[in-house]
Amino acid sequence: MNSILENRPLLAEQITDVAEVAGYLWQKGWAERNGGNITVNITACVDDEIKSLKAISEAIPVGRTLPFLKGCWFFCKGTNKRMRDLARRPMENGAIVRITEDCSHYEIVADRPVKPTSEIISHLSIHNYLIGKGSSYKAVLHTHPTDLVAMTHNPAFLQKDVLSYLLWSMIPETRAFCPRGLGIIPYSLPGSGELADATIRELDEYDVVMWEKHGVVSVSDNIMEAFDMVDTLSKSAQIYFTAKSMGFEPERISREQMNELKTAFHLPK
Ligand code: 2HA
Ligand code: ZN
């Protein structure tokens, strides 16, 4: 079967990166069964020939109108598809979709009629929000990191920026490479519009947000960077747990040392 990726190295590179990250999510143990989802705005890789392709699905409602998505194209992991399968066969476990003229439906265009992720309303609402504010971000990652999700079962960690400071204070890397910290979103039904709206509100301040007792969402220029931020936060969580399981409270990098990092690396927060 021909693939839309043939003779399109830029588009193929995007999908190869998605597949690589999907493999990492599985290896990390963050992607049980069909857990997690990935979408990437691939509009910049879409040529006139792709634009002329016929849809291979009905127009499927998004559930809301997203005006900034006019003319946009996305690669989306498929609903009920496994990350470990996306890693090996991305175009069988995900699909390329375009937003229809009315900005409230999408159509699957290639390679196969794989219906997008159950969290599509959050993903597309996030992309709509990012484009609307002129952001360069193109990738949205949702995954279930065991350590970070466990932390959201402690009400003390759900207070604003308690987890940001705790995780920043474990290792300088996290302060430097996750400089906007970690937002917290109270539990909402997976796949719901409320979860999408709460996520967008937090993304005003954070690039990575926790869905309480569920998972994490991260946004960045590309899928590798989106993964790296979650990986860095998870490393901090591991250091915290390791110290606690050795029977002591970790001393932590001090606020002064964190401010020194802020100045040295010109961090935004
Ligand atoms: O796609 O992770 O939140 C499966 C999920 C839903
Ligand atoms: Zn999830």
Side-chain angles (χ1 to χ4, degrees):
M1 183 193 170
N2 287 347
S3 170
I4 196 171
L5 304 186
E6 274 165 33
N7 301 319
R8 292 196 174 92
L10 286 180
L11 183 56
E13 192 184 330
Q14 298 273 327
I15 307 308
T16 303
D17 282 355
V18 167
E20 186 174 328
V21 166
Y24 297 155
L25 300 177
W26 167 249
Q27 287 158 17
K28 287 271 181 191
W30 299 349
E32 70 292 342
R33 199 176 182 278
N34 61 314
N37 23 75
I38 293 174
T39 55
V40 178
N41 182 341
I42 51 144
T43 312
C45 305
V46 168
D47 52 44
D48 288 344
E49 199 185 329
I50 297 183
K51 282 183 192 154
S52 70
L53 291 173
K54 284 210 172 72
I56 55 171
S57 77
E58 308 273 271
I60 303 164
V62 175
R64 52 178 56 177
T65 303
L66 299 167
F68 292 111
L69 296 191
K70 205 174 189 65
C72 281
W73 293 68
F74 298 92
F75 176 80
C76 305
K77 174 184 171 276
T79 187
N80 251 319
K81 300 295 186 188
R82 296 173 171 87
M83 283 293 176
R84 61 183 190 262
D85 293 337
L86 188 69
R88 289 177 300 154
R89 295 187 301 271
M91 296 306 284
E92 289 171 37
N93 294 281
I96 287 173
V97 308
R98 71 168 155 241
I99 304 298
T100 56
E101 274 299 299
D102 64 4
C103 294
S104 53
H105 295 73
Y106 59 85
E107 300 171 327
I108 304 169
V109 176
D111 283 343
R112 298 164 195 240
V114 175
K115 198 173 172 222
T117 158
S118 60
E119 300 287 4
I120 192 76
I121 192 160
S122 276
H123 279 257
L124 292 182
S125 299
I126 292 169
H127 285 291
N128 183 67
Y129 162 80
L130 292 171
I131 295 168
K133 75 169 191 176
S135 167
S136 60
Y137 289 177
K138 300 274 188 291
V140 178
L141 166 67
H142 164 60
T143 187
H144 301 167
T146 315
D147 39 24
L148 295 172
V149 175
M151 293 182 108
T152 68
H153 284 264
N154 178 356
F157 289 155
L158 301 180
Q159 303 299 314
K160 187 174 167 58
D161 280 334
V162 169
L163 270 187
S164 297
Y165 281 102
L166 185 124
L167 297 170
W168 279 345
S169 72
M170 290 296 116
I171 185 170
E173 226 71 14
T174 306
R175 180 72 188 93
F177 295 112
C178 198
R180 304 221 297 157
L182 184 59
I184 304 284
I185 293 165
Y187 185 85
S188 264
L189 184 69
S192 65
E194 294 84 78
L195 189 56
D197 292 338
T199 305
I200 287 164
R201 282 196 295 275
E202 285 294 282
L203 287 179
D204 221 23
E205 189 175 343
Y206 303 94
D207 287 339
V208 192
V209 297
M210 287 307 301
W211 288 348
E212 181 190 331
K213 303 185 184 90
H214 177 167
V216 64
V217 173
S218 140
V219 293
S220 195
D221 282 330
N222 58 63
I223 195 65
M224 278 306 161
E225 295 283 345
F227 168 77
D228 283 337
M229 285 189 290
V230 182
D231 192 28
T232 309
L233 289 161
S234 167
K235 164 68 95 169
S236 276
Q238 287 296 316
I239 295 167
Y240 177 73
F241 296 145
T242 306
K244 293 287 267 189
S245 62
M246 284 193 263
F248 64 89
E249 186 68 29
E251 186 176 59
R252 300 188 187 190
I253 294 168
S254 69
R255 290 283 177 127
E256 290 71 34
Q257 289 165 332
M258 281 195 246
N259 284 334
E260 183 188 35
L261 285 164
K262 180 180 165 170
T263 311
F265 289 94
H266 311 290
L267 303 176
K269 219 176 178 181

